[in-house]
Amino acid sequence: MKYSYLIIFAALLGFSSCKKFLDVRPKTQIDGAVAFSDEQGFMDALTGVYLKMNDNELYGKELGFGLTEVLAKQHTRFNSTFHEYYQASLYNYLNAEVRSKIDGIWLNMYGTIANNNNLLTQLNTVDKRIFRDNNYNVIKGEALGLRAMLHFDLLRLFAPAPASAGGATQKAIPYPDRLTADVFPQLTVTEVLAKIQADLDSAANLLKAVDPIVATNNIAEEGFLRDRRFKFNYYAVRSLQARAYLYAGNKEKALEYAREVINANVFNWASPAQLSAGDRARFSELSFCLYKSDLAPSFTTYFLPAAGATNLLTRSGDSEFLNVFGTSADARYTYLTAFDNVTQLRYSLLIQQNTAGAAAYLNRLPVMRVSEMYYIAAECLSNSDMASAVEYVNIIRRARNLPDDLPATLTTEELQFELFKEYRKEFYCEGQLFYYYKRRNSATIEGATITADNSIYVLPLPDDEVVYGNR
């Protein structure tokens, strides 16, 4: 694989006692030796990785509310063939506009990995005495966790799922774990998953005793250690381990880590008061999110119905929303969507940024939320302890204001169908449903007219990667 060496950093400019981590702004490229001459340079480099993940080519659009949601048929209304995502909605991966989006994901993901690997390379050679307290372990733990996450999403997009025929042994993606001129080989799906778990194990070992989000550590969230939900914290690491183990088919390990996150009791369900006040991301439920300061233009372009709007991302009508959510009583329908009387369209409010009085909730971009751990635990228990499995789902349903519990007498197939319905509702505009379909090797994508297989689930590599031998 041709590896990007563009290293981009961010500086914490204009610091004062009241400045937040979230206030950082990108800085121009700077010399690596200067950047890593002190502890602040390492912090800035890590911040630069987070900021790069915000790009529209990545979690700021395509891996959030954009391409992955279109492929999962979470958006079904495309008013013309000129819609930005019309060809993507047809799975026309050879279309130039679609190919540009796919190539952009690949390029920017590996560019971000290169930045992150440069940081890790410097951490492996630096004199640790320049770091205060436990900051070295925190920085390195977050960077290792991010490397695993970026590779895992590349794997979920550009390689067969383990559940597909022969998928585990198929060639997948390179896993660059250092900054070098060497060409990295294309590993199998199983080999990539092993490297992901190895990075996550290392990250967990570094963070477990020093991350303030772990209540028993008794470490204050202040200074560099504040805003842990915006950082790849210890519970984000464990959540990703649960997600990756389930993807690999290892339900025992997936259940172990999902339960660890659940039983920590760190994440609280968003209340109706929070939701009505504008907490669209349900911030208290997030194990990891990004801070994106320019969400407002995306909301206007893609979600706010208006005369002449050409690229709206929504469903065909309110009846389709109700078919997905089941009832208007569902808090995810009541508080996280709205209806426009002029266009007669319902639309998502997830990234709305102009809610009066909701300044405290602006610019949150969900990446991982605790409810997924409940769904993972339920799926892992569905063949052995149905009562516990159903209860995990019912806990979420009660938090979403659904009036009736599911019965403990469900069959495994019935519970799986309920989980599917929950993924459609819970992660709307968050990019996770496509991965659910792929992990399950589902032949059907609800709302699509095609039979789903690897021609749908495996995105094509960029042409230059094919030329240089990676396919």
Side-chain angles (χ1 to χ4, degrees), residues 341-353:
N341 288 318
V342 176
T343 61
Q344 296 291 292
L345 291 174
R346 183 166 291 276
Y347 55 100
S348 171
L349 297 175
L350 178 68
I351 63 169
Q352 185 183 31
Q353 299 299 296

Side-chain angles (χ1 to χ4, degrees), residues 16 38 229 324 344 353 367 369 399 450:
S16 70
D38 57 19
R229 292 167 199 262
V324 171
Q344 296 291 292
Q353 299 299 296
V367 180
R369 60 176 67 252
I450 47 84

Side-chain angles (χ1 to χ4, degrees), residues 77-274:
R77 180 187 182 276
F78 302 97
N79 59 345
S80 79
T81 58
F82 297 104
H83 191 290
E84 179 182 338
Y85 288 96
Y86 176 75
Q87 294 294 332
S89 74
L90 302 177
Y91 305 102
N92 186 0
Y93 297 152
L94 299 182
N95 172 266
E97 190 169 22
V98 180
R99 195 61 187 265
S100 176
K101 290 180 180 296
I102 294 171
D103 291 358
I105 292 170
W106 177 274
L107 175 64
N108 283 276
M109 288 288 261
Y110 274 115
T112 307
I113 289 169
N115 295 343
N116 196 50
N117 276 341
N118 185 62
L119 167 60
L120 285 165
T121 297
Q122 299 292 335
L123 283 168
N124 290 335
T125 58
V126 72
D127 184 347
K128 296 180 184 178
R129 290 175 296 180
I130 71 171
F131 295 91
R132 291 165 291 177
D133 304 321
N134 298 304
N135 287 350
Y136 177 87
N137 282 3
V138 172
I139 294 170
K140 188 171 183 179
E142 288 181 35
L144 285 168
L146 289 172
R147 184 166 72 188
M149 176 186 165
L150 294 166
H151 279 104
F152 183 56
D153 283 346
L154 280 164
L155 182 75
R156 293 198 292 177
L157 289 169
F158 292 96
S164 65
T169 59
Q170 292 294 306
K171 289 291 186 180
I173 60 170
Y175 198 102
D177 55 7
R178 62 194 182 280
L179 200 64
T180 174
D182 296 339
V183 175
F184 286 86
Q186 190 180 12
L187 304 180
T188 67
V189 170
T190 296
E191 288 170 337
V192 173
L193 286 167
K195 282 187 169 289
I196 288 167
Q197 293 295 356
D199 270 348
L200 291 173
D201 283 337
S202 297
N205 289 335
L206 288 164
L207 291 169
K208 187 171 186 178
V210 300
D211 195 332
I213 203 169
V214 180
T216 54
N217 288 340
N218 296 315
I219 298 172
E221 280 198 16
E222 58 185 18
F224 172 68
L225 296 179
R226 63 182 175 264
D227 303 315
R228 294 306 297 161
R229 292 167 199 262
F230 290 97
K231 317 285 183 65
F232 209 80
N233 61 75
Y234 175 75
Y235 291 117
V237 170
R238 289 309 199 198
S239 295
L240 183 57
Q241 288 197 278
R243 179 187 281 181
Y245 271 123
L246 185 63
Y247 192 75
N250 188 335
K251 291 186 176 182
E252 181 179 357
K253 295 296 289 185
L255 177 62
E256 174 188 342
Y257 291 122
R259 277 179 161 167
E260 181 179 353
V261 177
I262 293 168
N263 295 336
N265 294 316
V266 169
F267 307 99
N268 303 310
W269 305 120
S271 67
Q274 286 174 271

Side-chain angles (χ1 to χ4, degrees), residues 267-276 279-286 331 335-336 361 369-370 398-401 426:
F267 307 99
N268 303 310
W269 305 120
S271 67
Q274 286 174 271
L275 292 168
S276 61
D279 185 7
R280 312 300 191 196
R282 294 164 284 170
F283 185 65
S284 61
E285 304 176 10
L286 297 177
Y335 296 107
L336 302 181
Y361 300 123
R369 60 176 67 252
V370 71
R398 293 169 202 146
R400 304 302 178 232
N401 197 40
E426 184 73 2

Side-chain angles (χ1 to χ4, degrees), residues 332 375 390 392-406 418 421-422 425:
R332 293 164 292 196
Y375 299 147
V390 169
Y392 277 124
V393 181
N394 281 335
I395 289 170
I396 308 294
R397 289 171 57 87
R398 293 169 202 146
R400 304 302 178 232
N401 197 40
L402 294 178
D404 300 316
D405 280 357
L406 299 173
E418 294 297 332
K421 292 192 291 185
E422 284 296 309
K425 296 180 287 187

